[in-house]
Amino acid sequence: RIAPDSARAEGIEALLTRRSAEPWNGWLSYTWSRVTDREDGVDTRRSWDQTHSVGAGLAWSAGPWNATLAASYHTGWPTTPVSVAEAGTPQATIVVGRRNSVRYKDYSSVDMRVSRDFKLPRGDLNVFAEVTNAFNQRNQCCVDYSYAYPAGQLTLEREYRHWLPIVPSIGVLWRY
């Protein structure tokens, strides 16, 4: 159970956008932030803390057509380390480290979308195709631990799980 005495979120964000009537528009953002819990006078990063975050996008629009390319990056989320102390001895034990004191690998993703609008007698139809995580980044999200005693020696196995792989999708939206 995590029951902090208090919590704090702080940061700064810079956003640069280009919005015009021309076909090409875009944005670039940077965020520095810190999110912590205070327990017994000690600050601990929250599991969703991401110190550095960068986002960029490019949008094109001409008549009924729209296309968007968006990229995002952020510092890996905090996690709690687990290890084996006194490995190779009969006193070997599993040790849980300080909560959220290490991080997963950094996260990055590129997403793309193309759509076309059609005017109908009753409303509008939007047809789209999109790809999330277009470069199939293996962004760590979680870790499963298992232990065993092969030949009487304590071993700890880690299996990292990941956010979604490349996800293509198509869709139709009817607004009436």
Side-chain angles (χ1 to χ4, degrees), residues 98-110:
R98 186 168 164 253
R99 183 171 69 91
N100 289 348
S101 61
V102 297
R103 289 186 178 269
Y104 291 117
K105 293 180 182 176
D106 293 349
Y107 174 97
S108 63
S109 182
V110 174

Side-chain angles (χ1 to χ4, degrees), residues 31-89:
T31 304
W32 174 88
S33 64
R34 179 174 45 218
V35 184
T36 57
D37 288 328
R38 178 156 285 195
E39 299 170 280
D40 299 324
V42 176
D43 287 336
T44 302
R45 300 278 176 142
R46 283 218 170 157
S47 297
W48 45 270
D49 175 83
Q50 52 192 43
T51 308
H52 303 283
S53 178
V54 178
L58 188 60
W60 172 82
S61 181
W65 288 95
N66 292 288
T68 305
L69 177 68
S72 61
Y73 160 89
H74 65 73
T75 308
W77 288 293
T79 186
T80 303
V82 178
S83 61
V84 175
E86 299 187 48
T89 71

Side-chain angles (χ1 to χ4, degrees):
R1 179 175 151 208
I2 299 170
D5 303 320
S6 64
R8 181 179 184 112
E10 57 188 347
I12 187 167
E13 180 175 11
L15 174 64
L16 178 63
T17 60
R18 180 179 194 276
R19 292 185 190 155
S20 71
E22 296 181 20
W24 292 98
N25 290 284
W27 68 92
L28 176 65
S29 69
Y30 170 76
T31 304
W32 174 88
S33 64
R34 179 174 45 218
V35 184
T36 57
D37 288 328
R38 178 156 285 195
E39 299 170 280
D40 299 324
V42 176
D43 287 336
T44 302
R45 300 278 176 142
R46 283 218 170 157
S47 297
W48 45 270
D49 175 83
Q50 52 192 43
T51 308
H52 303 283
S53 178
V54 178
L58 188 60
W60 172 82
S61 181
W65 288 95
N66 292 288
T68 305
L69 177 68
S72 61
Y73 160 89
H74 65 73
T75 308
W77 288 293
T79 186
T80 303
V82 178
S83 61
V84 175
E86 299 187 48
T89 71
Q91 295 80 23
T93 58
I94 294 175
V95 177
V96 177
R98 186 168 164 253
R99 183 171 69 91
N100 289 348
S101 61
V102 297
R103 289 186 178 269
Y104 291 117
K105 293 180 182 176
D106 293 349
Y107 174 97
S108 63
S109 182
V110 174
D111 305 330
M112 299 181 276
R113 179 183 173 104
V114 175
S115 67
R116 187 178 193 295
D117 292 321
F118 297 91
K119 295 283 184 198
L120 300 176
R122 296 194 103 181
D124 298 316
L125 188 69
N126 176 265
V127 178
F128 65 88
E130 60 188 20
V131 178
T132 303
N133 193 12
F135 297 122
N136 203 25
Q137 294 293 313
R138 290 181 48 85
N139 294 305
Q140 293 177 343
C141 74
C142 321
V143 63
D144 291 326
Y145 294 99
S146 60
Y147 65 92
Y149 286 95
Q153 299 292 317
L154 176 62
T155 61
L156 180 67
E157 299 283 328
R158 290 173 187 82
E159 181 182 343
Y160 288 97
R161 289 186 283 145
H162 301 86
W163 291 105
L164 290 174
I166 186 171
V167 179
S169 61
I170 57 173
V172 177
L173 176 62
W174 178 29
R175 291 183 211 109
Y176 57 92

